[in-house]
Amino acid sequence: FGLKAQAHARPSRHPRSAPPKNKHPGNMGKAGQARQVFRTYGKTKSASKVKSTEKKKPGAQKLKKGVEPGSILILLAGRFRGRRVVFLKQLESGLMLVTGPYAVNGVPFRRVNQRMCIATSTKVDVKGADDKAVTDAYFAREKKAAKKDEMFAAGAEKKALSSEKKAGQKKLDEGIVKAMKADEKAYLKARFSLSSKMYPHELKF
């Protein structure tokens, strides 16, 4: 009976295809995952050596349009933000040397990044200012090794300005203040601020 049933069995119209054979049986690891192959570079082939070139120092940043010695700027950041100052010159580092003057609005001469200020169209005469001795090295701080007693001190005393710097500030501002008019001094004393319905992009400085 079993042979007779086997003889009359019809062949299936859709024969099952055999599973594909793995062409690279060695690439399969455990649990059917691909085997990882780690390669090392630089042993057989000679690695190309990069020529050592001297790094070029970036040049001084160009000043904004309309900024020249004597231009009045408005500071946007820092301790004296909102104050108006007089631009003197650009230092080698690219920073701008500005002064209040100190006798007018209490702003000492300092270095300012031109990104943190607004240039105005107002200008004053700075021909009498002697700023040749003021460089980046003038603002360098003295490095001292911290002692254990000083580190755990309750309050640190702030160092006062040296007599040389005070004399230099007075000498620098003396020539500028003498050439100023009363309205220019009043303009420098006034602090810049925005009130309601005042839009910076619509203002003309």
Side-chain angles (χ1 to χ4, degrees), residues 33-117:
Q33 297 178 356
R35 185 177 63 182
Q36 296 180 352
V37 180
F38 298 95
R39 299 180 181 178
T40 55
Y41 298 95
K43 289 186 176 180
T44 56
K45 297 181 180 180
S46 59
S48 59
K49 296 182 180 180
V50 181
K51 295 181 180 179
S52 60
T53 56
E54 296 181 358
K55 294 183 180 179
K56 295 182 180 179
K57 293 183 180 180
Q61 191 177 6
K62 292 183 179 179
L63 291 175
K64 291 181 179 180
K65 187 177 180 181
V67 177
E68 58 185 32
S71 299
I72 295 180
L73 312 176
I74 300 174
L75 302 181
L76 300 178
R79 178 185 172 188
F80 300 100
R81 60 183 177 273
R83 289 290 186 181
R84 293 179 171 89
V85 294
V86 180
F87 170 67
L88 298 176
K89 66 177 181 179
Q90 187 180 24
L91 302 173
E92 293 182 359
S93 61
L95 299 176
M96 306 168 69
L97 179 65
V98 299
T99 184
Y102 184 80
V104 176
N105 56 12
V107 181
F109 64 90
R110 55 200 293 111
R111 293 180 298 178
V112 178
N113 192 328
Q114 62 176 334
R115 293 182 180 180
M116 300 301 174
C117 61

Side-chain angles (χ1 to χ4, degrees), residues 118 192 194-205:
I118 299 175
F192 173 78
L194 294 174
S195 59
S196 60
K197 296 183 180 180
M198 288 181 64
Y199 306 103
H201 62 280
E202 294 181 355
L203 298 177
K204 292 183 179 180
F205 298 95

Side-chain angles (χ1 to χ4, degrees), residues 22 24-36:
N22 188 7
H24 304 285
N27 290 346
M28 300 301 291
K30 296 180 179 180
Q33 297 178 356
R35 185 177 63 182
Q36 296 180 352

Side-chain angles (χ1 to χ4, degrees), residues 107-183:
V107 181
F109 64 90
R110 55 200 293 111
R111 293 180 298 178
V112 178
N113 192 328
Q114 62 176 334
R115 293 182 180 180
M116 300 301 174
C117 61
I118 299 175
T120 66
S121 57
T122 309
K123 297 176 184 178
V124 296
D125 186 11
V126 292
K127 293 179 180 178
D130 186 12
D131 56 0
K132 294 180 181 179
V134 183
T135 60
D136 288 314
Y138 183 87
F139 298 94
R141 296 181 181 179
E142 297 179 359
K143 295 182 179 180
K144 292 185 179 180
K147 297 180 181 179
K148 293 183 179 180
D149 299 337
E150 295 178 358
M151 290 175 63
F152 298 99
E157 297 180 358
K158 294 183 179 180
K159 292 184 179 179
L161 288 174
S162 62
S163 57
E164 295 180 1
K165 289 189 176 182
K166 286 182 179 180
Q169 176 77 59
K170 188 176 181 181
K171 183 181 178 181
L172 182 69
D173 294 345
E174 190 175 1
I176 302 174
V177 175
K178 285 182 178 180
M180 277 187 181
K181 300 178 182 178
D183 56 344

